[in-house]
Structures are given as C-alpha cells and as structure tokens.
Amino acid sequence: MQTQPASVKEKEFRVKSVTPPPELGSAIAHAIKSGNQVVLRAVGAGAINQAVKAIPIAQSFVSSFGTKLIEEITFFRSKTPEGEILGIAIRVMGT
C-alpha cells in the first residue's frame, strides 16, 4: 500500500443511487486537477454503479492534461443506529 505525501489532500464524496455520473465525474476531475486524491464511498448496487460510471467520465476530463487515473477499491464498514453496513470505497489518484 502506498503512503501519500503530506501535501496531498483527500476529498471524500458519498455517492447515492441518484448521483448524476457526469456531475460526479466533473467533481473528481476538478479535485484531481487541484492535486487531491478522491475517495468515493458507496453503499448499495445503485450507488456503486453511479460511482463506477463516474470514473471513466473523470478520466475523459483529465486525459487532456496528460493525467491517468488509478483506482484502489476496498470495503468499508459503517455503524448506523440499525446496525453495521458494508460499502465500497474507491480511492482515485492521478498520475
């Protein structure tokens, strides 16, 4: 696992099933262009689908700057009043 330099900031986006992929892709691209890493957190099939669709949209935006995106996918657990939920976290980094 890579460690990030102290100067790199992390932006977190919580993705819902109704999140528009073009808007999320644009936000990812803007954060990457600004030198940040992005973490997308999604729970449920619909939300994960929207997050995954946003990544190639973001890639199309940053490719004009010669940047490629790298993704690292992990699970995360979150506690709610109803119990514990499991979700997907996608870390997006620019190279």
Side-chain angles (χ1 to χ4, degrees), residues 20-51:
E23 291 180 21
L24 181 58
S26 177
I28 294 168
H30 180 72
I32 296 292
K33 186 179 169 192
S34 299
N36 299 307
Q37 291 185 1
V38 173
V39 176
L40 306 175
R41 293 191 183 271
V43 175
I48 294 168
N49 184 44
Q50 299 303 81

Side-chain angles (χ1 to χ4, degrees), residues 4-92:
Q4 61 185 13
S7 62
V8 175
K9 294 182 182 174
E10 188 173 275
K11 298 277 186 178
E12 181 177 294
F13 295 102
R14 295 183 181 173
V15 185
K16 297 180 180 181
S17 62
V18 295
T19 301
E23 291 180 21
L24 181 58
S26 177
I28 294 168
H30 180 72
I32 296 292
K33 186 179 169 192
S34 299
N36 299 307
Q37 291 185 1
V38 173
V39 176
L40 306 175
R41 293 191 183 271
V43 175
I48 294 168
N49 184 44
Q50 299 303 81
V52 169
K53 287 193 285 187
I55 294 170
I57 293 170
Q59 179 63 66
S60 69
F61 289 135
V62 299
S63 64
S64 62
F65 302 106
T67 301
K68 291 188 176 187
L69 298 180
I70 297 173
E71 298 82 30
E72 179 182 278
I73 303 170
T74 59
F75 290 104
F76 72 92
R77 293 184 187 275
S78 182
K79 292 185 179 184
T80 66
E82 294 80 30
E84 192 174 71
I85 58 173
L86 184 66
I88 297 285
I90 305 172
R91 180 179 305 279
V92 183

